[in-house]
Amino acid sequence: MGKEKGNVAIDRLNFLHQASLLMSTIQYTPSTTPTITQVPHYKGDPPGTVLGPARYFTHTMQYMSRRLVMRLDPTIKRTQCKRCETPLLPALTSHIRMHCNYSLSYKLFHPC
C-alpha cells in the first residue's frame, strides 16, 4: 500500500513539473488592455507570457514535496527560481550570466 501511495505522489509531482514548464513556454500576442491601477515598483510578468499558472504549479509541487516528506531531485531545484518560483528556461524566462572569480573559475547565474 505504501508503494502505491508513493507512486501516485511521484506521478503528481511529475505532472506539476511538466505543467509548470509548459505554462512558462506559452507566449501570445498581447492585445490592448484597459488601464489598471498598478502597484508602484512592480514590474510584473513580461507582456505576452503566462507565468502566473507556472508559478502556481511550481509552488504546489514544492508544497506537496514538503508535506509528503519527499525530496525533489536537484536538477529540478536548479531549474526553479528560489525567489519567485518561476521555471528558469534560458532565453525565455531567464538570462545566463557568467561571473569570473579570482581563482579563474566561473559561476553561472540565472537571474529571472
Side-chain angles (χ1 to χ4, degrees), residues 26-31 33 43-51:
I26 294 175
Q27 296 189 355
Y28 63 93
T29 54
S31 61
T33 57
K43 294 180 182 177
D45 293 338
T49 60
V50 188
L51 294 178

Side-chain angles (χ1 to χ4, degrees), residues 4-72:
E4 293 176 8
K5 193 176 204 179
N7 288 341
V8 170
I10 290 172
D11 289 342
R12 187 173 293 168
L13 291 174
N14 184 17
F15 168 76
L16 289 170
H17 178 64
Q18 290 180 3
S20 69
L21 289 178
L22 176 68
M23 294 305 285
S24 63
T25 59
I26 294 175
Q27 296 189 355
Y28 63 93
T29 54
S31 61
T32 57
T33 57
T35 57
I36 300 172
T37 309
Q38 294 193 4
V39 179
H41 306 293
Y42 176 69
K43 294 180 182 177
D45 293 338
T49 60
V50 188
L51 294 178
R55 283 192 205 102
Y56 173 75
F57 291 140
T58 302
H59 177 74
T60 306
M61 179 179 61
Q62 290 177 349
Y63 172 74
M64 282 184 56
S65 67
R66 275 183 273 147
R67 187 178 56 126
L68 298 172
V69 192
M70 297 177 71
R71 292 190 177 184
L72 290 176

Side-chain angles (χ1 to χ4, degrees), residues 67-103:
R67 187 178 56 126
L68 298 172
V69 192
M70 297 177 71
R71 292 190 177 184
L72 290 176
D73 192 52
T75 57
I76 293 175
K77 288 182 185 178
R78 287 184 204 121
T79 60
Q80 298 169 358
C81 179
K82 293 178 184 175
R83 184 176 52 106
C84 65
E85 298 178 344
T86 303
L88 297 175
L89 298 173
L92 289 177
T93 58
S94 70
H95 304 285
I96 298 174
R97 293 183 184 164
M98 290 178 56
H99 290 258
C100 180
N101 291 342
Y102 293 109
S103 63

